[in-house]
Amino acid sequence: MKNTLITSLFVIQAVCVTGQHDIKWGETMEYKKSFGFFYPVSKTDFFAVDYKKKQTYLQKYSDFKLKNEEEVNFEIEGKKGDIQTLAIINQKPTYFLSLKKGKNVSLYSLQYGGNCKNIGGPKKLMEYQPSKKKSKLEDDFHFTFSENGLFTCAYYDIPGSKEVNNGIGYNIFSSELESFRKGEFEFPFSEEQMEFSYRFLANNGDYFVLAKIFKDSDRKKNRLVKGQKFVQQIMVFHFSKDGVKQYDISPSIKEDIKSSQTDFSCYLNERDELVVSGIFQVRDREEKDESLPRGVFIYKLNTKNKNVIVNSWKFYRDAHESDEEIFIETKTPKDMLDKRIKPSLQFQFKVLSCNELDNGDIVGVMQNQYRTTTSRSAGNSTITTTRHHFDDLRVFKMNVQGDLRWVKSIPKRQMEIDVETGYNSAVSFIKNGKLYLLFNDNLKNYSSSSGLYHLNKKLYLAESKKTEYSFAEVEMNLTDGEYTRKTLFDFNDHKMFAFPGKFQINRGSNVMMMIFMQGNNVKHGLLPLN
């Protein structure tokens, strides 16, 4: 795990009322190296990590003032443990470390209190013997955390083969890091038949693993012809006190669904209903247009009695006259696309969030994310450049019956070369009955007089130039999807750039920590979500 931050000095806090947001700002502080761990625990307090002379220090800030600081010791039984991750468990900063002994590897926790002092020393949580197939570059353990910060699932993969299916070993821990559910499970599909797509730990400690299952009849043909796979169903594996339950989500449409263009997220609501929602694209048999994702879906199931409440797969045309209408409404005209990139590569949407409203309606947020790679000769060598694209946002609403009410798109262009820094992408949250989207943009996309977005003949790429920088906000009405878009900050407001990919949201405290940076300076803001 790579943790690097920061700190030096917070002075006086400032409150900035911007639109609907009362943001509390700390003063500018000096940072070291690059970003590290920071996490809000309330609307005034947060933890941070600092590095001084190769030592790691845990820090607690209150009202943006440093209150506590302690050195972190990673030694376990005379050896330094390997850091797997750092998380906040029950409001306590917790390091997870692995330690190898012979053929086995063990997982330990190091937990700290609000005063940054260690609680009880290293605690052994579990151990296992890794498969010989495990890559040395792979972490020994993987983690999923519940949104309320009370439960932890640590798991390890059990690689399959042609004869043996994939499996996992898992251990679920309470807020006190006591194990209450563990085991090993072999999935009923081979590695060629399935692809793990989403993992989720509910606020009651139940664990969910979602996987795409491919069509058997198409698998070999598709691999040889186009490398494409098509989704036969989505399987949900539900690890609970009653064992491992399995749910089959079968698409309610007849068309072949592309695996590479299908993405989703899930959660368990307060009524113990599993909600899975996402985006899909069907195969265009005439192969006239590979560029457009075709629709969205919602699946809702009562996990108590296994009754399916709704399984609805809707094309965009169910809410609009055509897919083309969605394309033009939301994006720049087709002739503005990069001619060097295949259209099919420019539309790979990923689900950013899935939100259930009080009346049971679902609002989903997606982002068009893809990578392109180019190579050029430089003497006797070849230079390869990878570009990470973060383009249009797309928002949809489906009612409790599964009817698609509307689809809206927010056109944007963002790109990073080689390394993803967190400067691009977007964050979303619902506050006071409205959806908010925050992202970096270009001032040229906005009116110089009103600050509101206006569509030019050209959609300008988000820039980190001081004179062109805009930190933009979309405020969307969830009744009909109508929205306003404006510049929330420009560079002169804070003399810094936002890094939305590094923002942290604490759902328990309903607060989001924002981070702005420029040169050797960093600034934090706490934005309440209610």
Side-chain angles (χ1 to χ4, degrees):
M1 173 185 171
K2 296 180 180 178
N3 282 324
T4 27
L5 177 105
I6 316 192
T7 48
S8 204
L9 179 65
F10 273 108
V11 193
I12 304 172
Q13 69 171 0
V15 178
C16 174
V17 180
T18 305
Q20 302 296 318
H21 313 303
D22 298 336
I23 304 173
K24 292 184 178 180
W25 293 99
E27 289 294 318
T28 299
M29 71 182 197
E30 182 183 356
Y31 81 97
K32 302 172 184 178
K33 296 182 180 179
S34 59
F35 297 112
F37 180 87
F38 57 90
Y39 192 84
V41 291
S42 72
K43 294 177 182 178
T44 58
D45 298 354
F46 65 93
F47 288 101
V49 174
D50 192 15
Y51 299 91
K52 303 174 184 178
K53 297 181 180 180
K54 298 183 179 180
Q55 300 298 319
T56 301
Y57 291 85
L58 180 66
Q59 300 173 326
K60 172 71 175 294
Y61 286 87
S62 181
D63 287 329
F64 293 99
K65 297 179 181 178
L66 180 62
K67 295 295 184 182
N68 304 98
E69 179 182 63
E70 295 289 339
E71 182 180 346
V72 179
N73 182 3
F74 298 112
E75 188 174 290
I76 303 173
E77 299 178 6
K79 297 182 179 179
K80 185 177 181 179
D82 292 327
I83 301 174
Q84 300 293 292
T85 192
L86 170 61
I88 300 292
I89 308 298
N90 196 20
Q91 300 289 73
K92 302 181 185 71
T94 306
Y95 276 97
F96 292 92
L97 311 173
S98 67
L99 187 67
K100 294 179 181 178
K101 284 186 177 181
K103 295 182 178 180
N104 290 350
V105 59
S106 299
L107 177 67
Y108 290 81
S109 65
L110 277 175
Q111 196 162 59
Y112 295 81
N115 58 1
C116 296
K117 293 186 179 297
N118 180 246
I119 304 172
K123 178 180 180 179
K124 185 175 180 179
L125 302 178
M126 60 188 291
E127 74 174 359
Y128 76 105
Q129 183 175 329
S131 165
K132 293 181 180 179
K133 296 181 180 180
K134 177 182 173 296
S135 169
K136 293 181 179 180
L137 299 177
E138 182 183 355
D139 285 339
D140 297 316
F141 296 91
H142 307 280
F143 300 86
T144 307
F145 302 99
S146 64
E147 194 175 72
N148 61 8
L150 298 181
F151 297 98
T152 302
C153 179
Y155 66 94
Y156 53 89
D157 294 319
I158 303 174
S161 64
K162 291 184 178 180
E163 295 78 24
V164 180
N165 294 332
N166 291 322
I168 62 168
Y170 63 95
N171 206 326
I172 302 175
F173 300 92
S174 68
S175 59
E176 302 304 320
L177 292 178
E178 298 294 335
S179 173
F180 68 90
R181 192 173 300 142
K182 62 181 179 180
E184 290 189 346
F185 179 76
E186 182 179 302
F187 294 99
F189 299 95
S190 69
E191 184 175 345
E192 286 189 345
Q193 292 176 301
M194 70 186 300
E195 176 186 303
F196 296 111
S197 302
Y198 198 82
R199 300 174 189 265
F200 172 73
L201 185 60
N203 285 339
N204 64 358
D206 284 6
Y207 183 52
F208 296 85
V209 178
L210 283 72
K212 301 173 190 174
I213 309 301
F214 305 126
K215 288 190 173 182
D216 287 332
S217 59
D218 287 340
R219 196 167 66 251
K220 291 183 179 179
K221 176 182 175 182
N222 291 333
R223 186 167 63 247
L224 291 173
V225 177
K226 284 191 173 183
Q228 292 184 2
K229 295 182 180 180
F230 298 95
V231 178
Q232 174 176 299
Q233 64 201 51
I234 297 171
M235 288 296 299
V236 181
F237 301 93
H238 177 190
F239 297 78
S240 70
K241 63 181 180 181
D242 301 319
V244 183
K245 305 174 187 177
Q246 299 181 34
Y247 314 127
D248 175 0
I249 305 176
S250 297
S252 59
I253 56 176
K254 297 179 180 179
E255 289 85 351
D256 290 333
I257 296 174
K258 289 185 176 182
S259 173
S260 62
Q261 296 285 352
T262 301
D263 193 52
F264 46 82
S265 66
C266 82
Y267 60 90
L268 190 72
N269 64 23
E270 295 177 353
R271 299 180 296 279
D272 288 323
E273 295 168 351
L274 174 69
V275 181
V276 183
S277 185
I279 188 169
F280 68 90
Q281 182 188 32
V282 299
R283 171 164 54 175
D284 187 344
R285 295 186 179 277
E286 297 181 1
E287 299 187 0
K288 292 181 179 179
D289 188 358
E290 292 284 348
S291 65
L292 291 172
R294 300 297 188 188
V296 293
F297 72 92
I298 177 177
Y299 173 87
K300 189 179 291 189
L301 172 136
N302 186 315
T303 59
K304 296 292 186 182
N305 55 27
K306 295 187 178 181
N307 285 339
V308 177
I309 300 169
V310 62
N311 181 25
S312 178
W313 297 62
K314 297 294 184 182
F315 290 97
Y316 289 153
R317 60 176 175 263
D318 293 322
H320 293 260
E321 291 182 1
S322 67
D323 289 342
E324 186 73 8
E325 182 182 347
I326 295 290
F327 183 85
I328 292 176
E329 168 202 347
T330 68
K331 181 100 175 106
T332 52
K334 282 187 177 181
D335 59 6
M336 291 167 58
L337 292 173
D338 192 335
K339 301 299 190 299
R340 298 169 297 176
I341 304 173
K342 286 184 178 181
S344 59
L345 293 178
Q346 292 182 305
F347 294 88
Q348 296 185 10
F349 280 80
K350 301 295 182 183
V351 174
L352 294 185
S353 66
C354 181
N355 308 278
E356 186 175 38
L357 306 182
D358 292 340
N359 63 358
D361 292 354
I362 300 296
V363 174
V365 180
M366 301 163 287
Q367 180 170 241
N368 185 15
Q369 298 179 207
Y370 58 97
R371 289 186 300 174
T372 57
T373 302
T374 57
S375 298
R376 62 181 178 87
S377 298
N380 296 325
S381 61
T382 300
I383 298 176
T384 300
T385 301
T386 300
R387 291 176 171 83
H388 303 269
H389 301 264
F390 304 84
D391 288 349
D392 298 4
L393 294 166
R394 192 161 291 167
V395 184
F396 70 89
K397 180 180 179 180
M398 298 184 81
N399 66 16
V400 69
Q401 290 81 27
D403 300 319
L404 182 59
R405 307 308 299 169
W406 46 259
V407 182
K408 299 291 181 180
S409 250
I410 295 93
K412 69 179 178 71
R413 289 184 62 209
Q414 297 175 318
M415 182 184 69
E416 292 189 71
I417 296 178
D418 291 335
V419 179
E420 295 184 52
T421 64
Y423 179 78
N424 290 304
S425 192
V427 293
S428 68
F429 57 90
I430 291 179
K431 179 178 179 180
N432 299 327
K434 294 184 179 181
L435 174 70
Y436 291 90
L437 301 160
L438 304 176
F439 51 89
N440 288 322
D441 207 345
N442 193 314
L443 271 179
K444 293 180 180 179
N445 294 323
Y446 298 84
S447 167
S448 58
S449 57
S450 67
L452 296 176
Y453 172 79
H454 63 95
L455 182 61
N456 298 288
K457 292 182 179 180
K458 177 180 180 181
L459 180 64
Y460 290 94
L461 181 72
E463 291 284 0
S464 56
K465 296 178 182 178
K466 297 178 182 180
T467 56
E468 297 181 10
Y469 175 71
S470 166
F471 183 59
E473 176 195 70
V474 169
E475 181 184 281
M476 181 174 287
N477 185 323
L478 295 179
T479 301
D480 53 17
E482 295 302 312
Y483 65 85
T484 58
R485 173 176 172 178
K486 64 183 180 182
T487 290
L488 195 63
F489 304 122
D490 62 25
F491 183 82
N492 291 325
D493 288 316
H494 295 284
K495 306 297 182 184
M496 294 186 182
F497 302 102
F499 281 73
K502 299 293 183 181
F503 288 9
Q504 293 279 356
I505 293 179
N506 184 331
R507 296 294 181 185
S509 300
N510 271 322
V511 63
M512 179 171 71
M513 171 167 277
M514 309 167 71
I515 181 166
F516 284 64
M517 189 187 77
Q518 164 63 14
N520 293 324
N521 296 313
V522 67
K523 191 174 186 178
H524 293 86
L526 291 172
L527 187 155
L529 302 181
N530 54 9

